[in-house]
Amino acid sequence: MGLLIATVEGIVELGAAHHIADTRMQHVARSRDGWWAVDASGVWRGPTRVATAPPGVRFTCVQPVPDGAWIGADSARLFRLRQGEMTEDEFFAEAPGRATWHTPWGGPPDVRSLSFGPDGVLYINVHVGGILRYDNTGLAATVDIESDVHQVATHPDVGGMVVAATARGLAQSSNGHDFDFRADGLAGRYCRAVAVLDDTVIISSSSGPRGEGSRLYRAPVGGGPFQPCTVGLPEVFDGNLDTHCLAAGPDGLFAANGGAVWRSWDQGETWEVVADDLPQVTAIT
């Protein structure tokens, strides 16, 4: 199975004409033996809906793990689905710093993205609440919540290597605890999506929440300024290239904006359109 594309009308596979699931999906994520997805009120394991959200809960994102999945939700809630049983995580419900979590518009914060590292550590991005590291010792707050994190991602092969798209540029850690910020070369520091592949990090950046001047940038993981990705991409995107709309894997890098998807085989140096007539894309994996 190749790239999966979650849209406002369902999930499609790149190059396939039919929908795999016909409901608006919030997020889709690859697992070792298939894929998981969430719509606002349920969890999908492949094309089958396997769980329903508790009353009053809206699901936002999903992270497969070897024995099931973690599911993020509104009001900064975290659920675990294991052997068909859905439970809210009691430790996250009492997470350090929770009283300070907020949103710019005054509503309740959400779990916006999740990422599971090769060392078995779960990273939880709360908007706005920073990034929490969750391992067998418990929960620990990491990056400052005022950095306004929009997506967290782990390196698929290197434990402790974590990147995040924030309103201050790229936040990056080599140990999963301490984060440094990088923005050299970015025309705007407001970042929404991030992916890491081998020794390259790709990030979407604009001047703010409305997405003025939205572009993709690439840089070495080891440091150095960001360079704009220009070959094969629009001069600017139509609004922000959003959370979960970058993906990295054996088939290359993918980026989605509006109803279009682009692919890069050379770590973001050049791109080509692979789909341009889709419903609004919400996530890719």
Side-chain angles (χ1 to χ4, degrees):
M1 183 176 286
L3 184 77
L4 291 181
I5 306 164
T7 77
V8 296
E9 296 182 6
I11 293 178
V12 296
E13 185 178 358
L14 182 65
H18 64 285
H19 283 174
I20 299 172
D22 292 311
T23 185
R24 179 186 178 122
M25 293 295 185
Q26 307 295 110
H27 184 217
V28 61
R30 180 82 60 192
S31 64
R32 290 182 179 180
D33 56 354
W35 57 272
W36 294 72
V38 288
D39 60 21
S41 60
V43 182
W44 297 70
R45 180 69 179 89
T48 303
R49 189 170 172 137
V50 295
T52 301
V57 172
R58 176 177 55 83
F59 290 145
T60 57
C61 54
V62 60
Q63 174 59 60
V65 291
D67 61 349
W70 290 97
I71 300 101
D74 64 342
S75 298
R77 290 175 281 192
L78 182 68
F79 293 84
R80 185 70 185 270
L81 183 61
R82 186 186 306 172
Q83 297 179 345
E85 183 179 355
M86 174 86 68
T87 56
E88 183 170 1
D89 188 82
E90 61 183 19
F91 298 107
F92 190 72
E94 302 294 333
R98 174 176 281 272
T100 65
W101 299 350
H102 64 280
T103 55
W105 54 91
D110 295 341
V111 173
R112 189 179 179 107
S113 67
L114 300 165
S115 193
F116 189 69
D119 51 359
V121 179
L122 180 69
Y123 295 89
I124 307 159
N125 158 213
V126 177
H127 187 251
V128 176
I131 300 169
L132 291 96
R133 174 190 168 98
Y134 199 179
D135 60 17
N136 58 10
T137 67
L139 281 159
T142 60
V143 68
D144 175 22
I145 71 170
E146 297 304 328
S147 56
D148 192 6
V149 179
H150 298 118
Q151 185 175 354
V152 64
T154 51
H155 195 288
D157 304 313
V158 183
M161 183 174 287
V162 187
V163 293
T166 85
R168 294 172 53 193
L170 176 76
Q172 182 172 332
S173 176
S174 60
N175 61 14
H177 291 280
D178 306 302
F179 284 79
D180 296 316
F181 287 85
R182 298 172 57 186
D184 188 16
L186 297 179
R189 295 190 174 203
Y190 185 86
C191 301
R192 281 278 189 91
V194 67
V196 60
L197 180 66
D198 299 330
D199 60 355
T200 300
V201 60
I202 305 287
I203 198 163
S204 71
S205 170
S206 74
S207 61
R210 294 185 179 179
E212 297 92 342
S214 177
R215 302 180 75 175
L216 279 185
Y217 292 81
R218 64 192 296 269
V221 169
F226 285 94
Q227 301 293 329
C229 303
T230 58
V231 180
L233 291 176
E235 183 175 348
V236 293
F237 291 108
D238 183 15
N240 281 303
L241 193 148
D242 214 349
T243 306
H244 298 134
C245 287
L246 283 175
D251 293 329
L253 284 163
F254 293 87
N257 178 251
V261 179
W262 295 262
R263 171 164 45 194
S264 173
W265 292 105
D266 53 11
Q267 296 187 318
E269 227 177 303
T270 62
W271 298 78
E272 60 179 344
V273 176
V274 291
D276 60 3
D277 57 353
L278 298 168
Q280 176 75 36
V281 176
T282 56
I284 57 177
T285 188

